[in-house]
Amino acid sequence: MKTLVIVTHPSLETSVINKSWVEELKKHSEKYTIHELYKVYPNSNIDVEKEQTLIETHGNLVFQFPVYWFNCPPLLKKWMDDVLTYGWAYGSTGEKLKNRKVAFAVSAGIKKEDYSDNGRYQYTLEEVLVPFKTTALYCNADYRSFFAFYGAEYEPSASEVKKSAQDYFNFIENL
């Protein structure tokens, strides 16, 4: 089954990192379905049944987004609230994510050293992303960690962008 990559970036066309990741995955369309939430739902009116069916017809699930205020973009939060329902994603009969490999791919504007115990924000990115890991575990998914690019707001070089896209592809291939 193909891997479903849920991309939630409000301005993907002007993104450097997330856009390069999507472009890399599109080279392998036989393996990946790229689902851009802001393109599909510009008014935030999520079709829950359509989204649940999309997940059910795919294998692995990857959530790709830039870190916003130490969280995800608002549309992804709404998507999770609307789509990951009791009886479908969790609860006594909610088994649609059970044992499904789930991973996260995030771009962080700030540098890696800022995400550390002694850094500017005093928390690692892994700690910041705990709610996403916990959500996956709560739904009995097979949480597979996260891939991150740090320093996106510092205008990475073309070689850094290319390497990041290749590393991201390898991360997803090895879920």
Side-chain angles (χ1 to χ4, degrees):
M1 287 185 118
K2 290 172 79 170
T3 295
L4 177 61
V5 182
I6 297 176
V7 179
T8 313
H9 194 300
S11 55
L12 187 62
E13 63 282 349
T14 61
S15 167
V16 174
I17 296 301
N18 281 268
K19 183 178 177 182
S20 73
W21 291 354
V22 167
E23 289 170 354
E24 183 65 31
L25 294 182
K26 283 183 177 178
K27 295 176 187 175
H28 309 277
S29 60
E30 74 285 357
K31 293 182 177 185
Y32 306 105
T33 297
I34 308 300
H35 185 50
E36 297 177 39
L37 291 184
Y38 278 98
K39 184 184 282 185
V40 176
Y41 301 113
N43 297 319
S44 302
N45 297 322
I46 296 170
D47 183 337
V48 173
E49 187 175 315
K50 177 183 171 186
E51 294 299 306
Q52 290 175 340
T53 299
L54 188 61
I55 291 169
E56 291 172 14
T57 60
H58 285 79
N60 301 335
L61 183 59
V62 177
F63 293 93
Q64 176 187 322
F65 58 91
V67 175
Y68 270 40
W69 288 107
F70 310 98
N71 207 319
C72 63
L75 185 56
L76 181 55
K77 174 63 169 110
K78 180 175 180 7
W79 183 96
M80 288 181 167
D81 289 345
D82 291 357
V83 175
L84 303 181
T85 59
Y86 178 83
W88 187 83
Y90 67 95
S92 60
T93 60
E95 297 186 347
K96 297 300 183 182
L97 297 181
K98 186 174 185 177
N99 299 323
R100 186 182 305 266
K101 292 178 182 175
V102 174
F104 295 86
V106 300
S107 59
I110 58 179
K111 296 177 181 174
K112 188 171 184 173
E113 56 268 18
D114 289 330
Y115 279 113
S116 67
D117 294 338
N118 299 323
R120 182 175 176 190
Y121 301 108
Q122 300 177 2
Y123 292 97
T124 64
L125 189 53
E126 183 172 9
E127 290 170 317
V128 169
L129 296 175
V130 162
F132 300 99
K133 176 182 180 179
T134 305
T135 298
L137 295 174
Y138 189 72
C139 295
N140 293 308
D142 181 5
Y143 176 71
R144 306 301 282 198
S145 193
F146 69 93
F147 176 82
F149 181 88
Y150 296 88
E153 68 184 33
Y154 295 101
E155 298 183 24
S157 68
S159 62
E160 289 174 310
V161 172
K162 183 176 182 178
K163 181 179 183 329
S164 174
Q166 291 168 342
D167 291 347
Y168 176 49
F169 174 75
N170 290 334
F171 169 77
I172 293 179
E173 280 286 290
N174 293 308
L175 285 183

